[in-house]
Amino acid sequence: MSKDTNDAPLPTGGGLQTTAPQVVTDEASVGMAEFAGYNELVATLYRCLNTNQGFQPFFDEFQRRFRCLQGGILGIADHPTRMVYAWTFGYPEGFEQWFLNSDMARTDEAIRHFSALPPRQFDALTGCDPSVDILDLMGPETREWVARAGLGDSAGMLVSRGESSRVVFLANRHRDEGNYTTAELMQMNLLAPHIETAVGLFHKIYQSRTENETLSMALDRISKPMVVFNELARVVHCNAAADATLASHPGLYVTDDSESRLQSRNPGFNRKLNDAILTAVFNARDGVQDTITLFDRVGNERMAVCITPLSMTSSATGLPSGKFGALAELITFGAASSPDLAKLSDLFNCTNAEARTAGHLMQGLSIGEIAEVERLSVHTVRDYVKSLLAKNGYRRQAELVGALVRVLA
C-alpha cells in the first residue's frame, strides 16, 4: 500500500523498465489459452482477502496470463484530481511516490479513459487496433515516460465511483507484446465483477475505521447475496443481501437450529446442495478451486447458487485460521427471461447457435432439455458445448456454467 511522501522526481536513466518481460508468445496457443485458468484467477483474487500481501498474488497471476509490464489498482480523488493510494506491480522504485505527489492522475490519458467507462467494463486504450500507436494518444505530460517505459498498450476498467473519488484498475503492456486483443478483453470482463467485489471487501476489512472488522462483517456492506460456510458446511454468516433474498425465496432457507444449514424444500435439489457445499469444503482443504453452480427453480423464479472453496488462512475471515469453508453467491433471475445473445457471442467468442446453447445453460437446462427446446439432436448440442469449452479454455461444463451465471445472470 503506498503512502503519501514528499515529492519524488521521475526516475531517470535505468529507473524505468525498457525491456519486455520474458514470456511465451506463441500465437498458435492463443484461443484456449486466452481463457484458460479463469477459475484459478478468481480464486487467487479472493485469497488476497486472507493475506497481508494485498493484491500482489493476483497481480502476479494476472501479469503472467496477460503478459503485462506494470499496472495496479489506483484510488483517485476528484477535487483536486490526485492519486491518494495504490496497489501496484511492475513499476520501478520511487515511481509510486512520484505519481502520488504529481499531477499525473489529472493528465494521464489511460486513467481518464478508464474513469469514463461504465463500471466493470474493460477496454484497451488503443481499441485493440494494432495500427494505433499509443504515443499518438499521449499528451506532452505523459509521452516521455510512456516512450521510455516502452509501453505499447494499456487495458483497464473503472472499479467503482464514489461521491468524490474513484478506483481504477489498469494494466500496461510493453510494445514488444503487441496490442491487447478483443479476446483478452473478453476474459478480463469475466473477471471484472470479481475485481469490483474483492476491492470492495478489501476496503471494508482493511480500510474501515473498525480495526477488527471481519470478512463476515464486511459482507453485510456488499449488495451481492453471499453466504459463508465453515468446515462442517454450517452457515457461519449470511450477509444482509442474502437474508433478504432467502426471506423472499420460496425454496431456499437457513435452518433455525444449532446446525444452521442452507436447505431447500425440494428434496432432490436439497441433496445436490448439501453435496455441493461439502465438496467445496473438501476442495478448499485439498487446494482445489473449482466453482460448483446449481440451479433451483420455483415457479417463474430461478436461483443460481455458485459455491466457491474458501481457505481460512487469516483471522480476517471471521473463522479460525487454518480452517476451510466455502462461499456461496445467490443469483436470482426470471426463468423466462431471455439472455442477451449478442453479449454472449462477444464475451464467449461463439456463434449464434452456440450462444443460444450458452443461454440455456445459464438457465440450468441439461443437454437433453436444450436439444428438446431447440429441436436438435443431443449430439449436436453436445458438439456446441464442446466448442464453447474449447474456445473459452474450460475443462468442464460446470466451469463454463459458473462463468455464464456470474457474468450475465
Side-chain angles (χ1 to χ4, degrees):
M1 185 75 167
S2 297
K3 299 179 181 179
D4 291 321
T5 63
N6 295 329
D7 287 349
L10 175 66
T12 58
L16 284 172
Q17 285 185 265
T18 57
T19 58
Q22 297 299 309
V23 295
V24 176
T25 57
D26 180 8
E27 291 299 327
S29 67
V30 175
M32 286 183 63
E34 288 177 327
F35 280 87
Y38 165 75
N39 281 342
E40 286 80 356
L41 271 169
V42 171
T44 301
L45 177 62
Y46 285 125
R47 280 200 299 271
C48 292
L49 300 174
N50 301 327
T51 73
N52 60 2
Q53 300 179 60
F55 288 100
Q56 192 58 50
F58 174 71
F59 289 154
D60 291 343
E61 187 66 12
F62 191 96
Q63 185 176 20
R64 183 182 71 82
R65 291 188 180 278
F66 292 106
R67 310 193 312 280
C68 307
L69 177 64
Q70 56 195 208
I73 297 169
L74 313 180
I76 310 293
D78 290 333
H79 305 293
T81 302
R82 296 180 71 86
M83 187 174 81
V84 291
Y85 68 83
W87 292 283
T88 64
F89 64 91
Y91 290 104
E93 185 176 355
F95 184 81
E96 288 182 28
Q97 288 75 20
W98 172 80
F99 204 109
L100 277 166
N101 295 284
S102 73
D103 290 329
M104 283 285 286
R106 179 178 58 82
T107 60
D108 186 276
E109 286 75 14
I111 291 177
R112 288 192 297 176
H113 179 76
F114 301 140
S115 295
L117 295 173
R120 302 174 302 282
Q121 178 177 307
F122 271 93
D123 194 15
L125 197 57
T126 64
C128 301
D129 185 347
S131 68
V132 174
D133 187 338
I134 194 172
L135 290 178
D136 293 338
L137 307 176
M138 297 294 107
E141 297 90 349
T142 52
R143 184 180 291 113
E144 179 184 356
W145 83 262
V146 167
R148 286 165 51 199
L151 301 189
D153 204 356
S154 182
M157 64 173 277
L158 176 66
V159 178
S160 62
R161 179 180 291 280
E163 293 183 1
S164 60
S165 64
R166 55 211 140 98
V167 180
V168 174
F169 178 95
L170 62 85
N172 298 327
R173 174 178 276 181
H174 195 274
R175 58 172 169 258
D176 290 350
E177 296 292 347
N179 297 50
Y180 285 105
T181 66
T182 55
E184 288 171 324
L185 292 187
M186 289 177 191
Q187 186 180 9
M188 291 180 189
N189 277 327
L190 295 177
L191 294 168
H194 300 290
I195 293 173
E196 178 196 36
T197 298
V199 171
L201 286 172
F202 200 100
H203 273 288
K204 303 305 182 187
I205 296 171
Y206 295 102
Q207 304 303 314
S208 69
R209 295 180 180 179
T210 305
E211 293 183 358
N212 296 320
E213 186 160 18
T214 66
L215 174 61
S216 293
M217 294 168 62
L219 285 173
D220 279 331
R221 306 189 189 189
I222 300 297
S223 60
K224 297 178 181 179
M226 295 185 174
V227 182
V228 179
F229 304 92
N230 65 13
E231 70 277 8
L232 299 178
R234 294 174 180 170
V235 174
V236 175
H237 186 74
C238 283
N239 69 353
D243 281 336
T245 297
L246 292 173
S248 63
H249 192 271
L252 289 180
Y253 65 98
V254 175
T255 60
D256 187 17
D257 54 26
S258 60
E259 290 294 309
S260 191
R261 306 279 185 182
L262 180 63
Q263 300 281 275
S264 171
R265 293 181 174 85
N266 180 328
F269 182 78
N270 194 54
R271 286 192 296 273
K272 294 179 181 178
L273 180 63
N274 291 335
D275 289 347
I277 296 170
L278 284 171
T279 298
V281 172
F282 293 152
N283 283 344
R285 181 195 61 191
D286 297 334
V288 178
Q289 296 299 328
D290 290 346
T291 295
I292 302 171
T293 303
L294 301 175
F295 294 88
D296 185 28
R297 178 172 180 172
V298 179
N300 193 42
E301 184 172 291
R302 190 181 297 278
M303 177 180 287
V305 184
C306 298
I307 306 169
T308 303
L310 188 62
S311 299
M312 313 304 173
T313 57
S314 162
S315 60
T317 59
L319 297 175
S321 179
K323 298 295 184 179
F324 305 96
L327 178 68
E329 303 165 66
L330 310 179
I331 304 168
T332 57
F333 52 96
S337 60
S338 299
D340 187 336
L341 296 183
K343 188 174 182 180
L344 281 168
S345 297
D346 288 341
L347 280 177
F348 292 89
N349 190 29
C350 58
T351 66
N352 189 58
E354 291 165 352
R356 289 199 303 273
T357 299
H360 292 308
L361 288 174
M362 67 175 285
Q363 293 280 7
L365 272 64
S366 67
I367 288 178
E369 290 169 332
I370 296 172
E372 184 176 350
V373 170
E374 292 290 329
R375 297 183 179 179
L376 298 170
S377 70
V378 171
H379 177 76
T380 297
V381 175
R382 189 172 287 117
D383 282 344
Y384 288 155
V385 173
K386 288 180 180 178
S387 179
L388 284 164
L389 294 172
K391 286 180 178 180
N392 298 303
Y394 296 114
R395 296 168 299 169
R396 300 181 300 109
Q397 183 175 320
E399 292 177 316
L400 173 65
V401 172
L404 287 166
V405 170
R406 281 172 156 162
V407 175
L408 298 173

